[in-house]
Amino acid sequence: MLGHVGIEAVLEQLKIKAMKMGFEFNIMVVVIAVIWLLIGQSGLGKSTMVNTLFKSKMWKSTLPGLGVPMPQTLQLQSVTHIIEENGVKLKLTVTDTPGFGDQINNDKCWDPILGYINGQYERYLQEEILITRQRHIPDTRVHCCVYFVPPTGHCLRPLDIEFLQRLCRTVNVVPVIARADSLTIEEREAFRRRIQHDLRAHCIEVYPQKCFDEDISDRILNSKIRDRIPFAVVGADQEHLVNGRCVLGRKTKWGIIEVENMAHCEFPLLRDLLIRSHLQDLKDITHNVHYENYRVFRLNQSHA
Ligand code: GDP
Ligand code: MG
């Protein structure tokens, strides 16, 4: 019998290392907005969602946002915050894209976004293949795309389907039903089921992908999440006083829609998935699957 060697100490080492390095995490917010713009509304709440994510309770310990420069192609707006909690540092960059699919002719309207995502893989690759390379390659790869589906209550539009098919092959995608306060609870549920059906019918694998569940506990947890996707979210950047509590919400004539109240919307599920429960998994799949596919494709191309 071997004596106790203390291998579990490696866990502590990993933790210390991760804490020293901090985490880097990029989320990209994408939308195709057509009908909403026609009826006079300017957007689906992407920019609002950026603020919602940063203002939500989770981030009460947040340091002020930094304007860390990101590659500014196609007028992408990036906001970076360094968040510190119990000695863990998280550098969170949220990139906000302008509306896509707003034109009458939406042919290839996804090209700039896919170009941007692949561009970040290319930057990483170019650093990685250098003979003398940096120990820590700066990571600007997109780890997750939050895809805003307009709350039509019908089904996915052909444009959504085409874009999602391409997007899911390139990056982790979490679809959400935008501005969900415009749908009743029953409408949200029926819409969600229809979207899930469309995704299955068109073989679109959004995050968390079934094929990457590693064990039974992953499968149990992720099945529950898959059942709730797309989350019906509401965004807000204003705080209000409700029963003596300060809450983030949208004030209407009939009351306040609280974004962090699960009885009102599913924003907390989105936030928890992206930050609490699946942050590292999103990074791992980006590196081990999406980036790897890109790397293999590019290296094959240059050897051909
Ligand atoms: P973007 O064009 O997608 O970036 O949309 P914006 O964030 O600029 O939001 C457009 C408008 O919709 C603003 O007036 C927001 O206050 C409003 N808005 C944002 N999120 C929501 C939401 O969840 N529900 C409702 N009803 N309005 C929202
Ligand atoms: Mg905007």
Side-chain angles (χ1 to χ4, degrees):
M1 254 288 284
L2 277 175
H4 179 253
V5 182
I7 293 172
E8 72 271 15
V10 77
L11 285 179
E12 194 54 29
Q13 294 165 33
L14 284 173
K15 199 174 124 196
I16 292 170
K17 241 188 191 154
M19 282 168 67
K20 275 195 199 146
M21 290 175 62
F23 298 89
E24 275 186 357
F25 191 59
N26 306 324
I27 302 175
M28 190 171 188
V29 189
V30 182
V31 69
I32 300 181
V34 186
I35 299 164
W36 286 96
L37 288 172
L38 289 177
I39 59 169
Q41 298 190 342
S42 60
L44 288 177
K46 299 179 306 300
S47 303
T48 307
M49 188 53 70
V50 174
N51 295 331
T52 313
L53 273 165
F54 284 122
K55 282 196 168 179
S56 79
K57 288 280 179 297
M58 180 98 183
W59 308 117
K60 277 295 173 288
S61 56
T62 299
L63 303 176
L66 296 176
V68 176
M70 283 278 288
Q72 294 289 319
T73 45
L74 48 74
Q75 291 133 8
L76 296 177
Q77 291 260 343
S78 291
V79 186
T80 297
H81 280 237
I82 307 268
I83 294 142
E84 207 166 344
E85 245 178 30
N86 301 326
V88 177
K89 252 192 208 159
L90 172 69
K91 180 177 151 199
L92 178 68
T93 302
V94 182
T95 304
D96 187 7
T97 59
F100 282 86
D102 293 355
Q103 311 300 318
I104 294 175
N105 178 5
N106 286 309
D107 212 25
K108 302 218 171 119
C109 61
W110 41 73
D111 274 0
I113 294 202
L114 293 173
Y116 174 78
I117 295 167
N118 284 322
Q120 306 318 304
Y121 293 148
E122 183 64 30
R123 280 173 71 147
Y124 197 88
L125 180 66
Q126 289 308 325
E127 285 288 335
E128 208 183 45
I129 59 178
L130 290 177
I131 290 177
T132 31
R133 58 186 180 182
Q134 306 183 50
R135 265 191 70 212
H136 178 67
I137 301 174
D139 194 359
T140 56
R141 293 170 301 179
V142 175
H143 299 118
C144 182
C145 270
V146 179
Y147 190 94
F148 285 66
V149 178
T152 58
H154 299 299
C155 53
L156 287 179
R157 303 161 302 173
L159 197 61
D160 292 321
I161 290 170
E162 270 204 60
F163 192 10
L164 281 168
Q165 277 173 333
R166 288 173 164 78
L167 209 51
C168 287
R169 275 185 243 131
T170 313
V171 70
N172 294 315
V173 179
V174 176
V176 297
I177 299 173
R179 303 180 67 134
D181 48 319
S182 65
L183 299 171
T184 67
I185 301 292
E186 292 79 18
E187 284 167 344
R188 285 183 202 180
E189 210 43 52
F191 191 31
R192 188 200 326 274
R193 296 288 166 225
R194 240 169 272 138
I195 293 173
Q196 288 173 348
H197 170 268
D198 287 349
L199 292 175
R200 269 195 308 274
H202 292 92
C203 305
I204 298 170
E205 273 253 63
V206 299
Y207 183 83
Q209 302 90 335
K210 253 193 203 131
C211 51
F212 303 140
D213 288 348
E214 276 177 9
D215 51 31
I216 185 81
S217 68
D218 268 7
R219 205 169 319 137
I220 294 170
L221 171 68
N222 290 343
S223 298
K224 280 189 196 143
I225 294 169
R226 283 189 280 267
D227 194 52
R228 302 299 290 270
I229 280 178
F231 304 127
V233 300
V234 174
D237 48 16
Q238 302 285 314
E239 292 187 2
H240 305 278
L241 217 55
V242 174
N243 301 329
R245 288 178 304 129
C246 206
V247 302
L248 204 54
R250 308 191 68 81
K251 191 172 178 188
T252 68
K253 270 195 172 166
W254 47 91
I256 288 168
I257 306 161
E258 300 170 33
V259 300
E260 291 175 281
N261 184 337
M262 276 297 291
H264 296 195
C265 81
E266 295 170 339
F267 169 75
L269 294 182
L270 174 69
R271 184 194 56 196
D272 287 357
L273 176 78
L274 296 181
I275 291 147
R276 276 206 184 120
S277 59
H278 286 65
L279 185 139
Q280 189 54 43
D281 189 57
L282 283 160
K283 290 196 63 162
D284 290 346
I285 292 186
T286 302
H287 186 72
N288 299 330
V289 179
H290 297 302
Y291 172 67
E292 191 60 17
N293 288 343
Y294 181 83
R295 198 183 68 87
V296 168
F297 166 77
R298 280 283 286 117
L299 296 183
N300 273 333
Q301 208 180 30
S302 54
H303 287 133

